[in-house]
Amino acid sequence: KQWYQRRVAITAGDKWEKDQIFPAHKVFKLLGDNGYLGISKPVEYGGLGLDYSYEIAAAEAFATINCGGVSMAIGVQCDMATPALTKYGSHHVKENFLKPTIAGDYVACLGVSEVGSGSDVSSIKSKAYVDGNEWVINGGKMWTTNGTQADWMCMLVNTNDNKNPHRSKSLICVPMKTKGVSVHRKINKMGMHSSDTAEITMENVRVPLDNIIGEEGKGFQQQMNQFQNERIYAAAGAIPAMDRAIQETIAYTSQRQAFGKSILDNQYVHYRLAELQTEVECLRALLYQCVQQHVAGEDITPQATMLKLKSGRLVREVTDSCLQFWGGMGYTDDVIISRLWRDTRLISIGGGADEVMLNVICKYMGIDPGSRG
């Protein structure tokens, strides 16, 4: 944490927020040279080979700087675009995509969502067909984090005509400099300003057949498994943000005077902050339990889903409650609380909206209409 804050945070923050982009290749190379992009990845591809709990400890540290977008971009590199590649990929794709990503030589992005297909992953329309020894890909991806700077995309695409949408998709590694790949536009967002987000289009993009991750037609299941890492990472980033929001609010309200006493001296204010911190500690315990189960090799789909749902809802409650205690100052861009409020709003949307999380939980509980027949 101290190394990261000293080497990255000192040059980050306001400039990258204002520029609405950070130098991903520079930052990732620095992280890669020091082993932080492959903490739980295999040693033979440049990783440290540690268990997943160490990766989450790093994720908590990454979330401590003022740029939520930087932490999110690192998460794409480590926990969103590469888990399936690590678990299912051939030596060829690991050598050509995983290894340079761990080293920080490549910036990765994940291509799942499309225009009209967000949380409903099975409805994506992008398609690839075989021509000789190549995949020919047509389609596009939306809301692609790292999209304007990425060297390659882990892309979910339809690769057969199976009527079951869960068996018609594959994950393919697509170099972003391949002919036919273009950044259609850079998307302006309400938060995570330091992270670039893009709409990507692909027209007759040709990549080798060997660039597929695992078996053809298994991409949907691979991506569902990959989502579990993303959801854990989201919680690991949300908790430090909540800690920061509460501590910054304590500091501000303790010195801000109104009606002859500090804002913090009002019972409602300090009771409310105590309630919020209690909720954060409960969520932290759920995070660590989920990580422990993941390390043990258990199916964590219900736990990771609950964790993601609770993280998104609680971080909204914490940042909104804290911002209220800042009054008019909280509504400006001059203070950290407004940045935390707008950055963390994404957690209830990205990686599966709250409503999708509830649907998954209901299925595991056997209480959704489809499960009950």
Side-chain angles (χ1 to χ4, degrees), residues 141-155:
K141 293 298 174 180
M142 191 69 171
W143 305 298
T144 308
T145 301
N146 299 344
T148 70
Q149 302 186 76
D151 296 287
W152 72 279
M153 173 187 286
C154 176
M155 183 179 186

Side-chain angles (χ1 to χ4, degrees), residues 109 139-144 146-148 153 176 181-185 187 198-202:
C109 67
K141 293 298 174 180
M142 191 69 171
W143 305 298
T144 308
N146 299 344
T148 70
M153 173 187 286
M176 294 293 281
V181 179
S182 62
V183 177
H184 181 66
R185 65 186 175 106
I187 300 170
E199 180 180 359
I200 308 295
T201 60
M202 298 199 181

Side-chain angles (χ1 to χ4, degrees), residues 41-62:
K41 300 297 191 294
V43 173
E44 56 265 41
Y45 298 105
L48 300 182
L50 301 174
D51 72 51
Y52 191 64
S53 65
Y54 291 90
E55 186 144 337
I56 292 304
E60 291 175 308
F62 296 151

